[in-house]
Amino acid sequence: MRKHGKKFVTSAKRVQEGLAYEATKALELVKTGAFAKFDETVEVAVRLGVDPRHADQIVRGTVVLPAGTGKSVRVLVIAVGDKAREAEAAGADFVGTEFLQKIKDNWLDFDVLIATPDQMGQLGALGRILGPRGLMPNPKAGTVTFDVGRAVKEVKAGKIEFRVDKGGNVHAAIGKVSFALDALQTNFAAFMDQIVRSKPAAAKGVYVRNVAVSSTMGPGVTVDTTPYR
């Protein structure tokens, strides 16, 4: 049986077992209960009433967190000509097709890869490297586009991608415990709004079944799902 440390146990005592908290109160408990010596990430986990084995019940999308993510995101853009210059002007960290060979040589010092549609043929050969790491550009995530300037700015501003896993759960980071409470609440609200909007037409019954928030090292706090039904 797993044993928790004293700090975790003390933090967990702040949370009443079996009680679902209003979102702002839940986030407040996460902030006040964080005990690590580093700036912990605030995470949200949502259990959905979908069956991911069916293609028409896959929940996937993106959302721009209004208060940002609290982390610096390194963006690589595979583009040429005017689109490459547009990406550089928007603040991309790395730009150019020369990085294709570097990726082949297992260079992966970036967090998000954006590409123009005309470059996807070359990227296809790198699927075995990029795919398992979740770095392959995808039109649904907005990372395959000719509007590279906008894509770069959104990622830098706090755009995140989410996708339901095999168990019907969605996990996402929505900020840091150092964020002001209202900033975390704003990010949480934006994320949950997009989750609700992403409900598949084929999903039946209760869609949002459980929601919990936590810090990297802290206990989970259950959130009342009534507003999302």
Side-chain angles (χ1 to χ4, degrees):
M1 185 176 179
R2 182 181 178 184
K3 292 184 178 180
H4 293 291
K6 292 181 180 179
K7 291 182 179 179
F8 180 95
V9 172
T10 299
S11 180
K13 287 180 179 179
R14 299 168 179 263
V15 182
Q16 186 174 333
E17 188 175 352
L19 179 63
Y21 292 86
E22 183 269 330
T24 301
K25 180 60 178 178
L27 291 166
E28 182 181 2
L29 287 168
V30 169
K31 275 180 62 66
T32 57
F35 55 83
K37 295 182 179 180
F38 60 91
D39 192 7
E40 298 179 57
T41 297
V42 177
E43 303 167 347
V44 56
V46 184
R47 185 185 176 199
L48 300 174
V50 297
D51 187 347
R53 293 175 299 177
H54 301 288
D56 60 355
Q57 293 191 48
I58 295 293
V59 176
R60 180 176 187 174
T62 61
V63 59
V64 176
L65 300 177
T69 62
K71 61 181 287 188
S72 177
V73 181
R74 299 166 298 175
V75 180
L76 165 62
V77 177
I78 303 298
V80 297
D82 290 342
K83 292 302 174 183
R85 288 186 283 274
E86 181 183 329
E88 290 174 345
D93 300 274
F94 312 102
V95 181
T97 54
E98 64 269 23
F99 288 97
L100 293 169
Q101 182 58 52
K102 295 189 69 172
I103 294 173
K104 289 180 181 178
D105 297 332
N106 289 314
W107 174 81
L108 294 166
D109 294 336
F110 56 92
D111 303 299
V112 177
L113 173 54
I114 297 169
T116 51
D118 58 311
Q119 298 298 319
M120 286 305 294
Q122 298 185 71
L123 278 166
L126 302 176
R128 62 182 179 81
I129 299 174
L130 299 171
R133 296 170 174 82
L135 293 171
M136 178 62 79
N138 188 294
K140 293 183 179 179
T143 47
V144 177
T145 176
F146 279 118
D147 194 355
V148 291
R150 177 182 176 184
V152 171
K153 289 177 181 178
E154 286 183 341
V155 170
K156 289 287 188 178
K159 182 178 181 179
I160 62 169
E161 182 180 1
F162 59 85
R163 179 169 181 163
V164 66
D165 63 21
K166 294 180 180 179
N169 305 298
V170 176
H171 300 268
I174 58 168
K176 298 286 187 177
V177 293
S178 60
F179 279 24
L181 181 59
D182 60 345
L184 286 175
Q185 198 281 329
T186 299
N187 280 355
F188 177 83
F191 176 76
M192 289 305 302
D193 181 63
Q194 191 58 43
I195 287 290
V196 172
R197 291 174 182 271
S198 301
K199 179 181 179 180
K204 306 299 180 184
V206 177
Y207 175 55
V208 178
R209 294 187 174 179
N210 283 105
V211 179
V213 289
S214 65
S215 62
T216 304
M217 304 295 290
V221 182
T222 302
V223 179
D224 181 13
T225 61
T226 303
Y228 316 115
R229 296 188 180 184

